[in-house]
Amino acid sequence: MEITESGGEAVSLVDSPPPPSAPNYRLLVACPSGLSRAHVFVDFNEVYDRKPHPDVRLEDSLSEIWNQRVQDNPSLYNGMKFRYGGYVLHNVDDSSSVSNICLQLGLTDYRTFVGTNLNPLWEKFLIASEDDTTECQHTSSPLGNGAIIETIDKRILVLQRSYNVGEFPGHFVFPGGHSEPQEIGISSHKCGKDLSSKHINEMVSEEMFDGIIREIVEEIGVPASSLTEPIFIGISRRELNVRPAAFFFCKCNLNSDEIQQLYSKAQDGYESTQLYAVSMAELEKMALKMPGCHRGGLALYALMTEAAKNA
């Protein structure tokens, strides 16, 4: 069994997107053949939590920025998030296809995300290193998620974000958000102390898949029963503010018109202004106005479709 190991990173807010030709994303891991739940594992451990920066002034800026944000918006909520700390790939033979992946996850929160990744001085939190994990050891790096959804009439679903959201207002994105620690009763590493680490790792791994289904249902409005089981296709990272996102692929057994009707009643429809069902050619044009991590998600989908053609 060949084992290769790699690290992780994070990303954030964009006021001035880079020009379309700029490489504004990095593929941290690609699984073109797709991995099911049975082949995605998690090592949930506090060793993958963020490490405080030795610069006291930088660390103090976290509280200053958060306090100002709360003052401006008293309803702001500091929720827990899973922190991306790297991964290990397992190949069971000499081929290049990945058989299993183990995601290395810690804990972080929205306050730390705002204070590091979204900090105007976010680059000062980075360490000069070729290793992703080392480079981003002082950033929050919450692991987001996104879904490439193919409808029964062979269209891909894309949302246009509301102009009232904090990150990338008006940009095109795939449905997604985050898997949530609180959904499985985790608010700290001390939670679930009566459970074995193996059981907790299995719970977190399940939430990686349950979380993306939940995001699709809430943002698009389609019932979970209309979706195939998601497959994991990789992780991309925005270069701006270093924020990682795990991407999944699934199919929906509804056509574009049916989904549009359901979208009008979606629970989290306020986060977006429009749902588009597009062809691959149209999607590639829309990618010019996508956040880097979602452009990376499109690149992962392109790798998946190419692998399927060559299979």
Side-chain angles (χ1 to χ4, degrees):
M1 176 182 290
E2 177 188 71
I3 301 179
T4 55
E5 186 166 354
S6 181
E9 352 228 14
V11 178
S12 260
L13 188 65
V14 58
D15 292 321
S16 301
S21 60
N24 64 349
Y25 67 86
R26 182 187 300 181
L27 298 186
L28 302 183
V29 59
C31 303
S33 59
L35 298 178
S36 67
R37 287 180 192 249
H39 297 279
V40 177
F41 301 89
V42 165
D43 179 12
F44 177 64
N45 196 299
E46 60 188 347
V47 301
Y48 305 121
D49 287 0
R50 170 187 175 265
K51 294 177 175 59
H53 198 283
D55 187 328
V56 176
R57 291 173 297 177
L58 269 183
E59 285 297 301
D60 287 345
S61 71
L62 271 71
S63 295
E64 295 168 3
I65 290 174
W66 178 253
N67 291 339
Q68 184 61 53
R69 290 284 293 268
V70 172
Q71 183 176 332
D72 296 338
N73 182 7
S75 64
L76 209 58
Y77 172 68
N78 183 28
M80 300 299 299
K81 304 294 178 188
F82 290 112
R83 181 180 186 273
Y84 176 67
Y87 64 86
V88 178
L89 298 180
H90 300 267
N91 298 350
V92 297
D93 52 35
D94 294 331
S95 71
S96 61
S97 67
V98 176
S99 298
N100 299 293
I101 188 169
C102 180
L103 301 177
Q104 299 167 327
L105 302 178
L107 274 181
T108 187
D109 55 30
Y110 186 63
R111 172 187 176 276
T112 309
F113 172 57
V114 169
T116 58
N117 295 90
L118 299 189
N119 193 315
L121 302 176
W122 65 273
E123 290 175 292
K124 293 186 178 295
F125 284 93
L126 303 182
I127 301 296
S129 174
E130 293 297 318
D131 178 72
D132 298 328
T133 304
T134 302
E135 182 186 20
C136 297
Q137 63 182 291
H138 300 308
T139 60
S140 175
S141 301
L143 182 61
N145 61 25
I148 289 82
I149 308 165
E150 184 181 290
T151 66
I152 199 168
D153 49 344
K154 304 300 182 183
R155 312 291 278 185
I156 301 298
L157 300 180
V158 178
L159 293 167
Q160 183 167 24
R161 286 175 62 78
S162 166
Y163 284 90
N164 296 320
V165 297
E167 289 186 82
F168 292 93
H171 282 61
F172 298 120
V173 295
F174 297 111
H178 298 85
S179 288
E180 303 288 356
Q182 61 266 29
E183 288 289 335
I184 52 176
I186 292 178
S187 58
S188 72
H189 286 287
K190 295 180 180 179
C191 289
K193 59 182 179 181
D194 296 330
L195 301 174
S196 68
S197 59
K198 179 176 183 292
H199 184 65
I200 293 174
N201 286 341
E202 290 173 349
M203 290 169 56
V204 177
S205 179
E206 286 292 307
E207 172 57 17
M208 293 296 106
F209 285 81
D210 293 343
I212 191 60
I213 294 173
R214 189 170 57 248
E215 293 287 357
I216 295 170
V217 171
E218 292 176 356
E219 294 192 354
I220 303 297
V222 298
S225 59
S226 70
L227 303 170
T228 61
E229 179 71 5
I231 58 170
F232 173 83
I233 59 173
I235 298 174
S236 74
R237 188 198 77 170
R238 285 205 308 262
E239 292 289 43
L240 179 70
N241 304 89
V242 290
R243 188 196 216 288
F247 280 88
F248 299 79
F249 172 77
C250 69
K251 295 183 178 182
C252 180
N253 64 15
L254 302 173
N255 65 42
S256 303
D257 291 339
E258 293 171 319
I259 295 171
Q260 286 286 1
Q261 293 177 5
L262 293 168
Y263 169 69
S264 64
K265 301 176 183 178
Q267 177 181 330
D268 287 349
Y270 62 90
E271 294 182 358
S272 59
T273 58
Q274 183 67 49
L275 172 69
Y276 297 89
V278 300
S279 66
M280 188 62 175
E282 292 169 322
L283 182 56
E284 290 173 347
K285 293 178 181 178
M286 297 173 84
L288 300 179
K289 196 180 178 183
M290 279 186 165
C293 49
H294 285 257
R295 288 184 70 183
L298 174 56
L300 291 168
Y301 173 61
L303 290 173
M304 187 198 79
T305 55
E306 186 63 25
K309 292 177 183 178
N310 297 331

